[in-house]
Structures are given as structure tokens and as C-alpha cells.
Amino acid sequence: RGEQVFVKLTALGILNEEEGYVSGGEMSRGVFTRLVMKLGGDAPAILYPQDTVFADVSAATENADYIAAAYALGYINGNPEGNFYPENSITCAEALKLMSGVLGYGLYAEENGGYPTGYLKTANRLSLLSGLGVTVDTPLTWDHALMLLDNASEADLMEVVKIGETVEMKVIPGQTLLSRRFSIYMTEAVVEANAYTDLMSPDSD
């Protein structure tokens, strides 16, 4: 499935054909951050302050602009020493935290147990780990990461609405990253006929 998703994400412009995809190879934190931000449609850090936000991420670091943007939007944070470790392999739990933020479920996950429990609950609610066969501490391979991105692209988005002093979290049924970013809508239906057969005919194949 990983290769099929690679083709799909390439067609959407999330990946490019020169991407270093190796089936079974682990994905780095920096690369995953870039791909998630591109899927979510969030602009890179050119629109955000260019100050260094992590001790180990400079302007010359690969994917630095997307990392800075993700930090500015509250999707990621570093360790207590202020490092992000962009070259390290990303774990399932780390990926779910970033993905939940992009989908609008960051506050929901924090209110339902925080890291990593609340993010795993969010992932289970949205079926983000469907087909992956991983645990929260598993380093994600390219195959895992691309399947997670694919699952997330079809998940219903959540928005936080503040009414006076009250903050309400609202799921938007049918509104996904695919629909918001690419005007692609998912639907289910039964095909009753096509050029070759008719399900309603007694002679149908």
C-alpha cells in the first residue's frame, strides 16, 4: 500500500518524484513535519518569525521553514533543552501529536489525556492507524508514515469555536484535508448500472 499512497501523494503535490522514499526505511522528524504541513496546506515559515526556535535547527537545516511554521502554529515543541532532533526517526506518538494538531484535534487530545494517551485516543477515533500495525513507541517507516498521511487526509476535521468565555470543539462531518485543500470529496454509493451490466436486470452478470 505504501507505494500506492506514494503515487497518490505525489499526484497531490505533497511528495515529489525525487523524494527519498525507501520501503522499510525510517522517516525523520524533519521530513514528516514537512509532509504533514504540506498536506495541511500550512505555509512554510516565510510567513512566520525567522528567529531560531530550536537550538539544533538553524536556517540552513533541511526543512527548517516547515519546522518553524509547525512550532509557530503550536503543532510541535522540543525537549526541555530546546532541541528538536530533526534527523531522528519519528515515532508513532510524535507523528500523532503533529497530525492531530493539523486536523484541529490538538485541544481535544490534550483534554483527553494529553501526550501520548490523548493523541492515541484521537487516532483511534479517526482510524488514523488503520492498516499500520504499530504501537505508540514504534519508529515510523516511510510506508507507515505515508499510510498515516493517507488516513489523515480522509479524516473529518475539527474546529475550535469560542463563544464568549466558552470554548467549543466541533467536528465538521465530510470536511477533510482532501476537500479543504484539493476540493476532493469522499462519498459512498452503490453503482446500479454501467456500460457492461445492470444490477436491476434479471440477466445481470
Side-chain angles (χ1 to χ4, degrees), residues 36 53-54 80 97 143 175 181:
V36 171
V53 294
F54 297 114
K97 183 179 188 303
D143 300 275
Q175 184 73 15
R181 288 272 286 110

Side-chain angles (χ1 to χ4, degrees), residues 46-125:
I46 191 171
L47 299 183
Y48 299 93
Q50 295 296 300
D51 298 338
T52 300
V53 294
F54 297 114
D56 59 348
V57 178
S58 70
T61 302
E62 187 176 8
N63 303 307
D65 49 354
Y66 290 100
I67 292 170
Y71 176 83
L73 292 168
Y75 299 155
I76 60 174
N77 47 40
N79 68 0
E81 289 72 42
N83 293 309
F84 181 67
Y85 302 111
E87 300 304 321
N88 283 11
S89 298
I90 191 164
T91 66
C92 177
E94 293 166 347
L96 293 179
K97 183 179 188 303
L98 175 53
M99 196 74 258
S100 296
V102 172
L103 292 172
Y105 288 81
L107 180 59
Y108 172 86
E110 287 297 322
E111 292 190 352
N112 280 274
Y115 183 84
T117 306
Y119 292 92
L120 182 58
K121 289 180 180 178
T122 301
N124 290 334
R125 170 178 176 168

Side-chain angles (χ1 to χ4, degrees), residues 107-197:
L107 180 59
Y108 172 86
E110 287 297 322
E111 292 190 352
N112 280 274
Y115 183 84
T117 306
Y119 292 92
L120 182 58
K121 289 180 180 178
T122 301
N124 290 334
R125 170 178 176 168
L126 300 175
S127 300
L128 296 184
L129 299 179
S130 177
L132 272 70
V134 297
T135 64
V136 290
D137 295 324
T138 303
L140 296 187
T141 65
W142 270 82
D143 300 275
H144 292 146
L146 296 189
M147 285 190 284
L148 174 57
L149 290 169
D150 189 38
N151 291 340
S153 73
E154 300 178 6
D156 287 337
L157 300 177
M158 176 177 279
E159 63 179 10
V160 177
V161 181
K162 186 173 183 180
I163 305 174
E165 299 299 320
T166 303
V167 175
E168 178 183 345
M169 292 173 285
K170 180 180 179 182
V171 176
I172 316 171
Q175 184 73 15
T176 67
L177 291 178
L178 283 180
S179 64
R180 188 181 72 183
R181 288 272 286 110
F182 306 102
S183 298
I184 298 174
Y185 294 85
M186 308 298 294
T187 186
E188 294 183 5
V190 176
V191 177
E192 297 182 349
N194 57 32
Y196 306 100
T197 185

